[in-house]
Every structure is written in C-alpha cells, then in structure tokens.
Amino acid sequence: MSELQAERAGEPLGVPRIKAASKRLRYADVMIALAAFALLATLPFLFTSKALLDFVIRCSAFGLFATSLNLLVGYTGMISFGHGMFFGLGAYGFGLIMQRTGVPIPVAFIGTLLITTVAAVVIGAICVRLKEIYFAFVTLAFQMLIHSVILSWVWLTGGDQGLRGGIPRPMFLGIDLSNHTHLYVTSCALLVIGLWLMRRIAQSPFGYTLRMIRDNASRASFVGIDVWRAKLTIFVLAALFASTGGIIMSLFVSGAYPEFAYWTISGEGIFINMLGGVTTFLGPMVGTVLLLILNDTVTRLTEYYGIVLGIVILFFAIGLRKGLMDFAVEWYEQRRDGAKERA
Amino acid sequence: LDLDALTGCLASSACLVTQSTSGFIIGMLLFLVAVGLTLIFGVLKVVNFSHGAFYMFGAYFAMTAYQVTGSFALAMLVGAAGTALLGLVFERVFMSRVYGRDVLMQLLVCYAFVLIFDDVVRLIWGPEFKSMGMPSAFQVPPLFIAGGVVPPYYLLLIGVALAVAAILGVGLARTKIGKVIRAAAHNPGMVSALGINTGLIYGGVFALGGMLAGLAGALAAPVRSLTPGMGFSVLIESFIVTVIGGMGSILGALIGALLIGLIRSFGSLGFPLFTDGLMYLFMVIVLVARPTGLFGKEVA
C-alpha cells in the first residue's frame, strides 16, 4: 500500500475527543433522561393532536434505530449499511410471536431480543473482521438476504403483503397498548431508557475502547484489546436497540412490512446520522426528527421524494460536510472561547 | 427444495446446455457491471454505490434509441456512449469532491444519486415496466446444441462480454494507457508529479466503468424488463461478484460472475425459493475462507 493510501485509510472520522465523564455527569444523564421522559409524558395532556403523538412514536422507533447505528458508525468507525435488517427483524419477530403464540407482550419482547441476539452474533461474526468498505457491503448483502427471505417465506411472513391482520396487544401490568396514550407513553419510556442505556455504553470504559479502535485499531490490539470481540459485542448491542425500534414500529402500525427490512431503511439510518452529526450522542436523535419532518413535508408536496431527499443529502454531504449538531457544538465552543478571551 | 429436478437436469445434456447458457448470460451481464465497479475501485479507491443506475440508464437509453431509429447497433452505441458521458460528468462534478474523505461521505453521495436517478427515470419514462423487444435481426429460430436450446442473441451477448474482457485484460497489461492507469492506481501522487493529469485518468476510468455498465444494460434491454430501480439488484449481485472475485481484479470479476451466473441458473432448479440465499451463502463461504476474495491481493 502506498503512502497516500495508508494515510487515507488511517484517517479517523475527524471526531473531536469527548471528555471523560465524571460521576457528577453520570447523575446528570439520569436527571436529563427523567426530565425528558416527564416532558414527553405530559405532551398528551397539553396537546390533543393525535398526529403529534404519532410523530413522537415514529421518532422513538427511528431514533433508537439511528442512535444505535451511531454506536457503530460514530463511536467504533464501523459503517454498517445493513443495520436496518435488525429493525426489520425486530418488527417481524415481535409481530410473529404475538400473532402465533399469544404470549404476554414482555415475553414476546424478550423473545424478539433473543432472536436478534442470535442473528446478530452469527452475522456479526462473519462481518466484523472485514475492512470498512467490505464490511459496509457485506452487511448490505445480509440485509438483502433477510429481505428476500421475508419475501419468499410466504406462509410465515405473508410475503410482499407483510404481516397483516393486526398484532394482538393484550393488557399487561395495567398497560393497554391498544390504547393510543398507553402506546405513546410506552414508546417514550422505551426511547428514554434505550437512549440512557446507550449513553451508559458510550461513556463506559468499553465505549472508550471502541473510540480507540475507531482511531487506530492496530494500536488498540497492541495494547491488548481483542478488537474482533469488542466489535462483535457492539455490533450485537447495537442490533438489540435497532430491534427495539422495530418492535415499537410494529406496535405502532400493528403489523410488519417488507419495507422495514429493505436496504433503504439502512440508507436512511446512515443519512440521519449524517444529518444530525455523528460527533455528539444526541446528533442522530436530532437527525431523526429532521428527517421525519422532511419526509412528511416532501411526501405531501411531491411524489418524487427521491429527488428532493437526494438533493438534501448532497447539500449536507458535499456542501456542509457535517451534521447540524456538529455545527451547534462548534458554535457553542467558539462562543465560549470568545467569552474567555474577552474576560 | 427440488433436488430431483437438479440431478435430473445434470444427467441430461439438453438441460445441461440450456441451463449453462442461461447461467452464462446472467454471468456475462454481471461481469460487465462488476468489472466497471472493480476498475473504479481499483483506480479511484471508491466504491460506486450508484453503479446500478448506470446499468439502468444504459437499458433505457438503448430502448429509446431503438424506438427512435430502429437500429439495434445504434441502440447499443447510444446506451454505452450516453452512460460514459454520464459517468464522466458524475465523477468530475460530484465524486471528485469526496476523494480522500471518509467512506461514509462517498456512500452518502452515491446513495443520494441512487435516489435521484431512480426518480429521474420514473419522471422521464414512467414507473411502469417497459420492454424493448427483441430486434428483428435476432428473431430467428434458436440453435440446438447437444439437444439444448440456445437463442442466437445469447451467443452475441456472451461474445461481446468475452471481447470486452479480452480488450480490458490486454489493454491494461500491454498498452501505454493501461500502464498509466495501473500506475495511477498504485501511486496517484507520483503519476501526477510526472506531469500526467490524474483528474483526466480518474474521469476516464469512471466513464469507462459507467460505459461498461451501460453496455450491460443495453445488451440486457431486449431480454429483461425495464423498471426504475432495476439497477439495484444488479448492483448487489455485482458487488457479491467483486467480493467473491476480489476487489480490483478483472479475472476475479470474470470468474466470480460466471460462478454466480451458474449458481443462479442451476440453483433455480434445485432450490427455487432460495436462489438468492444460495448466492449469499456462497459469498459467505468464500469470505470466511479468503477474506480478500478468490483473486484479491492481500492488503497490507
């Protein structure tokens, strides 16, 4: 490999170092999570608009998916182009367990996560040792494999029609998910808990190991880190959160459709990360909200959604070269530095 | 699962010839797309995720040219030349801005163009399935080789693809331009220091890759149905081909494409519902055994 290439390949994502979290900050995370949940939970009392609550539910599903993708892309430097398969797997797994067995919802939830774990371990074991571009495309190939299995396994999955006939949602622990408000609060709770857990992973010593692997994998392995194992672990963990996003989605639409497992979901996930920025933990969440707003506006105005979305992506990728949250952080730091100089 | 059909076919020469021919044309079309992908990767070090769109445009250009002029040769020419031009513009205006940036950006720019190109085709030609129809010159009775049915058009297709493979192989190995391209793939900074315009080489290689995909699309237009988004499944398959054959290797692309073609045509007999799965399974086996592909060089 020539000097030029070596330099190019070794370049990290250009992510500024995030300072180590102190214990005080860890409590701050809990407080922020509780405050966010309280705020979201009061929304139904303030606004009666069903559309707004639906929007938040969709944000929960895609937000969990996109943030978990950022654990791979932003924190570990693994650009997965097939992360959407776990979203689809979550939706189909949960829907099928509920339709076929009639077990309580928490059992189906755990069962789906178990299925996802098995799938992610097998797929991850094959993929994670590949170099970045191979990794991207082999994950994409697995995504297409799962999509084609869903399309061709008609008696189980309903083929291109998707899982129809609704997903039964029996009461559990006094929660009735067929009630819209209950579904809303549950989605918010799953979102906040999921984000908090992912934040804990990102700020843990393991999270810092991942950043080290991203910046220099060979150095990390010289220090004694089992790179393959660390990558596989985060691949499986990220898959679990993506699957949870899929479960929320299947509860929301009361079904599962092949589009949930199609590659465009992964593409959108990557774009959400770009839109919001991969250098901050909440970047993907901001990106999710932006993309869903963009989505809803554009599909109302034109049927040529791809052209508009494509141009927006180009604007971000070639024009801005970074996400919105990256801008916000830079602006804040500049202001702070400016204030210091004046003082 | 229908193993009887598969063993029955393997025992009869007629079925063997028919299935092999269909495997060969799938493989040859895939080869034309995959070799462009592998060339672009070998020289520019980017994976053209929007490569399938060039295949799609080649098919649509050829169909329109054929409907307007009625000449099959002209249709092929328009398909290839149009996509070459498109490739040149795409590389110079957009892709050249993301060289040396991380893979995420390159994937995103291509992803944007997959979305845009699919919608552009829907806008111009409409969302429904289209068909170019077999040109009258090839509407002749099929040949019978050892009892198997072989349409003459298939022979043309295989011949064109093999000719392309030979020209590329010899051109890269023996000619001066080929040497410059290989040098640029190895060390662009040095090539540029010697007074050679690397931007031109990059644009040219991208145009060549686009042209080959467009030619594949144009050749496929009489035998496949045309629809927006038709490029994507071809892209995935040709990516599997390059992964199996090894990124950057032309011979690898040829062998990989033929293997995938044969797996598809014989797999559809034995495992009708799992043909795609078989292909992925094969890729996984190759990757586990040789992570750089059958003909890929070890990357230090």
Side-chain angles (χ1 to χ4, degrees):
Chain A
M1 198 180 239
S2 68
E3 286 299 309
L4 268 169
Q5 285 164 285
E7 235 167 67
R8 197 185 285 177
E11 189 130 341
L13 281 165
V15 181
R17 301 291 175 278
I18 303 166
K19 286 163 206 81
S22 64
K23 207 160 197 173
R24 195 170 52 84
L25 278 175
R26 211 179 292 162
Y27 289 121
D29 287 344
V30 179
M31 296 317 286
I32 291 171
L34 286 177
F37 180 68
L39 185 70
L40 285 173
T42 50
L43 276 187
F45 300 106
L46 300 176
F47 303 95
T48 47
S49 148
K50 189 170 174 292
L52 176 74
L53 301 191
D54 282 351
F55 182 77
V56 177
I57 296 176
R58 280 164 60 219
C59 279
S60 316
F62 283 108
L64 278 176
F65 167 64
T67 310
S68 70
L69 181 59
N70 188 29
L71 287 181
L72 298 177
V73 173
Y75 286 89
T76 324
M78 299 159 77
I79 297 159
S80 169
F81 225 77
H83 200 54
M85 66 184 139
F86 300 117
F87 187 82
L89 209 59
Y92 269 91
F94 184 76
L96 279 172
I97 293 177
M98 289 312 293
Q99 278 188 346
R100 303 259 161 174
T101 66
V103 292
I105 285 179
V107 177
F109 183 85
I110 301 210
T112 310
L113 292 188
L114 282 178
I115 295 173
T116 312
T117 311
V118 173
V121 166
V122 173
I123 294 170
I126 294 164
C127 294
V128 295
R129 68 196 179 119
L130 302 170
K131 291 226 153 39
E132 51 182 11
I133 198 70
Y134 279 82
F135 177 77
F137 278 82
V138 175
T139 47
L140 175 64
F142 273 107
Q143 165 112 56
M144 295 305 289
L145 172 63
I146 287 190
H147 184 247
S148 74
V149 166
I150 288 173
L151 283 187
S152 55
W153 206 346
V154 179
W155 69 264
L156 183 70
T157 61
D160 57 359
Q161 297 291 309
L163 276 187
R164 290 191 305 175
I167 293 176
R169 289 176 280 195
M171 292 259 288
F172 69 97
L173 304 172
I175 301 171
D176 176 17
L177 289 184
S178 50
N179 176 312
H180 192 258
T181 316
H182 283 206
L183 177 64
Y184 169 80
V185 175
T186 311
S187 305
C188 293
L190 283 174
L191 172 70
V192 171
I193 295 170
L195 285 180
W196 179 71
L197 283 174
M198 282 191 268
R199 174 78 178 165
R200 287 301 304 272
I201 293 171
Q203 299 304 104
S204 68
F206 175 65
Y208 280 86
T209 308
L210 296 179
R211 294 181 183 82
M212 183 175 183
I213 292 173
R214 173 196 70 200
D215 291 344
N216 195 331
S218 36
R219 201 170 287 172
S221 93
F222 277 129
V223 179
I225 293 164
D226 188 340
V227 173
W228 185 79
R229 203 147 119 204
K231 280 184 168 182
L232 182 59
T233 311
I234 194 63
F235 189 82
V236 174
L237 287 173
L240 289 178
F241 290 108
S243 172
T244 309
I247 292 174
I248 295 178
M249 201 63 195
S250 72
L251 277 170
F252 174 57
V253 299
S254 191
Y257 302 98
E259 293 86 68
F260 292 171
Y262 199 50
W263 72 274
T264 43
I265 293 273
S266 302
E268 274 172 16
I270 294 273
F271 175 53
I272 286 172
N273 274 289
M274 180 65 223
L275 195 64
V278 292
T279 61
T280 49
F281 179 76
L282 285 178
M285 210 52 234
V286 174
T288 305
V289 176
L290 286 176
L291 182 75
L292 287 183
I293 292 174
L294 185 75
N295 223 331
D296 294 356
T297 333
V298 173
T299 39
R300 215 178 301 138
L301 295 177
T302 167
E303 59 173 311
Y304 297 106
Y305 168 68
I307 293 184
V308 180
L309 187 62
I311 290 170
V312 174
I313 295 174
L314 283 182
F315 173 71
F316 271 89
I318 294 182
L320 291 183
R321 299 178 165 223
K322 58 184 101 166
L324 278 183
M325 279 300 274
D326 304 342
F327 265 111
V329 168
E330 268 177 26
W331 177 79
Y332 171 77
E333 279 176 352
Q334 268 171 10
R335 254 182 65 116
R336 195 189 50 192
D337 294 349
K340 259 187 212 158
E341 273 167 31
R342 275 195 298 278
Chain B
L1 198 88
D2 194 359
L3 280 178
D4 288 348
L6 186 60
T7 47
C9 180
L10 289 177
S12 109
S13 72
C15 179
L16 210 57
V17 168
T18 311
Q19 289 300 320
S20 306
T21 330
S22 87
F24 271 124
I25 71 144
I26 299 172
M28 285 308 178
L29 288 176
L30 273 183
F31 163 71
L32 287 176
V33 181
V35 79
L37 201 63
T38 216
L39 259 181
I40 292 173
F41 178 79
V43 179
L44 283 71
K45 308 288 181 275
V46 296
V47 171
N48 182 16
F49 187 64
S50 55
H51 206 62
F54 289 88
Y55 173 82
M56 172 178 73
F57 271 120
Y60 275 95
F61 286 161
M63 182 188 73
T64 306
Y66 184 68
Q67 282 165 355
V68 172
T69 65
S71 154
F72 174 72
L74 210 60
M76 295 299 109
L77 200 68
V78 169
T83 47
L85 192 67
L86 194 69
L88 187 68
V89 172
F90 178 55
E91 194 276 339
R92 282 292 90 195
V93 179
F94 296 101
M95 283 313 279
S96 57
R97 289 169 198 275
V98 288
Y99 293 152
R101 307 256 306 281
D102 56 75
V103 177
L104 188 63
M105 291 296 173
Q106 297 166 357
L107 278 180
L108 267 175
V109 171
C110 292
Y111 170 57
F113 275 98
V114 172
L115 296 175
I116 294 176
F117 284 156
D118 275 1
D119 263 5
V120 166
V121 167
R122 275 210 302 152
L123 200 63
I124 299 177
W125 285 281
E128 64 276 1
F129 282 83
K130 298 255 176 185
S131 147
M132 173 170 151
M134 185 62 76
S136 51
F138 294 99
Q139 285 176 353
V140 288
L143 306 168
F144 288 92
I145 301 171
V149 187
V150 181
Y153 185 74
Y154 284 17
L155 291 180
L156 170 89
L157 219 155
I158 294 171
V160 169
L162 284 179
V164 166
I167 292 170
L168 276 179
V170 173
L172 275 179
R174 299 259 182 270
T175 64
K176 181 153 185 277
I177 299 173
K179 276 181 190 156
V180 173
I181 290 175
R182 280 186 296 141
H186 193 70
N187 193 336
M190 196 58 170
V191 169
S192 143
L194 291 173
I196 293 166
N197 186 348
T198 43
L200 204 65
I201 295 176
Y202 281 7
V205 167
F206 210 102
L208 178 65
M211 187 192 83
L212 292 173
L215 181 66
L219 284 167
V223 286
R224 302 256 175 104
S225 52
L226 280 60
T227 159
M230 68 189 277
F232 196 75
S233 60
V234 171
L235 172 80
I236 298 284
E237 283 172 19
S238 55
F239 188 76
I240 294 174
V241 164
T242 50
V243 166
I244 290 174
M247 274 281 194
S249 160
I250 292 176
L251 182 66
L254 185 62
I255 305 284
L258 286 179
L259 284 173
I260 289 294
L262 292 175
I263 285 177
R264 283 203 76 96
S265 78
F266 283 100
S268 65
L269 284 177
F271 315 86
L273 283 179
F274 199 59
T275 318
D276 284 349
L278 222 54
M279 202 167 67
Y280 296 113
L281 207 63
F282 184 62
M283 176 186 77
V284 168
I285 294 169
V286 170
L287 273 178
V288 170
R290 273 189 70 99
T292 50
L294 294 175
F295 294 87
K297 289 176 205 83
E298 285 295 326
V299 183

